[in-house]
């Protein structure tokens, strides 16, 4: 499971010209579910996400989490995060979970975050969506549940 977290002042997702989810100050999270991901992946990623200290304290140091600031989140499913791009010029998405399983784990991740974050907006799984956001910083973090669960290693972590 891969998540791209962006610290935002606000974010909204639109489907067919209608806003279907939004958040104020907090996180815009793009979430990609891979083949083989389980509830453990969602749990590890959600726990790390809500506790990640990427918001500034009174001394302008990144010491606070979205939970600490009573922030909000917008979570949008995004299978293109699982793109394989090593060969050729056209990415393939064979590493993404099947839609039913991906949607189930996306919803589970959202539920876990809703327990810890005051307000969680969501996109519409499988829809063509447009995201409007105001980045804060910018602060952007890419997380992989495989690294959190030590299925693989990442030299940056």
């Amino acid at each position: 499971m891969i998540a791209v977290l962006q610290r935002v002042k606000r974010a909204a997702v639109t489907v067919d010209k209608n806003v279907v989810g939004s958040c104020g100050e907090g996180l815009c999270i793009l979430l990609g579910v891979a083949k083989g991901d389980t509830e453990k992946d969602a749990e590890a990623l959600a726990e790390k996400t809500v506790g990640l200290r990427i918001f500034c304290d009174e001394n302008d140091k990144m010491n606070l989490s979205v939970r600490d600031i009573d922030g909000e989140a917008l979570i949008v499913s995004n299978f293109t995060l699982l793109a394989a791009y090593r060969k050729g010029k056209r990415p393939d998405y064979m590493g993404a979970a099947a839609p039913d399983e991906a949607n189930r784990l996306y919803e589970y991740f959202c539920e876990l975050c809703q327990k810890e974050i005051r307000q969680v907006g969501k996109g519409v799984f499988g829809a063509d969506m447009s995201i409007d956001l105001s980045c804060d910083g910018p602060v952007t973090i890419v997380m992989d549940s495989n690294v959190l669960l030590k299925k693989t290693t990442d030299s940056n972590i």
Side-chain angles (χ1 to χ4, degrees):
M1 196 172 279
I2 295 175
V4 176
L5 283 60
Q6 283 197 294
R7 192 174 74 181
V8 297
K9 297 204 181 280
R10 58 156 186 79
V13 62
T14 302
V15 175
D16 295 327
K17 300 183 182 178
N18 296 310
V19 174
V20 295
S22 64
C23 73
E25 181 182 20
L27 297 172
C28 180
I29 304 167
L30 303 178
L31 185 72
V33 180
K35 283 181 184 174
D37 283 344
T38 68
E39 289 83 1
K40 286 186 179 187
D41 292 273
E43 291 161 2
L45 207 54
E47 180 182 348
K48 184 64 81 169
T49 296
V50 300
L52 200 64
R53 299 183 328 171
I54 59 172
F55 293 88
C56 294
D57 63 15
E58 65 279 354
N59 297 315
D60 205 30
K61 299 291 182 199
M62 286 198 285
N63 279 326
L64 303 174
S65 69
V66 67
R67 183 178 40 212
D68 295 333
I69 67 159
D70 196 28
E72 301 180 1
L74 174 64
I75 305 171
V76 178
S77 177
N78 189 334
F79 76 94
T80 64
L81 293 175
L82 284 298
Y85 49 83
R86 191 172 187 172
K87 292 183 180 180
K89 302 288 184 190
R90 182 182 306 222
D92 78 58
Y93 306 100
M94 301 305 290
D100 288 346
E101 182 65 2
N103 188 32
R104 184 182 74 76
L105 289 171
Y106 163 73
E107 290 293 342
Y108 183 58
F109 177 86
C110 291
E111 288 172 22
L112 294 169
C113 289
Q114 287 171 328
K115 292 177 181 178
E116 301 289 333
I117 300 173
R118 175 171 52 91
Q119 169 66 34
V120 174
K122 299 188 321 185
V124 175
F125 186 88
D128 184 18
M129 296 175 274
S130 176
I131 301 172
D132 178 39
L133 55 88
S134 175
C135 289
D136 182 14
V139 174
T140 305
I141 308 287
V142 179
M143 293 194 299
D144 185 333
S145 63
N146 288 328
V147 174
L148 294 173
L149 295 172
K150 298 183 180 172
K151 295 179 194 176
T152 60
T153 60
D154 184 323
S155 60
N156 293 329
I157 297 178

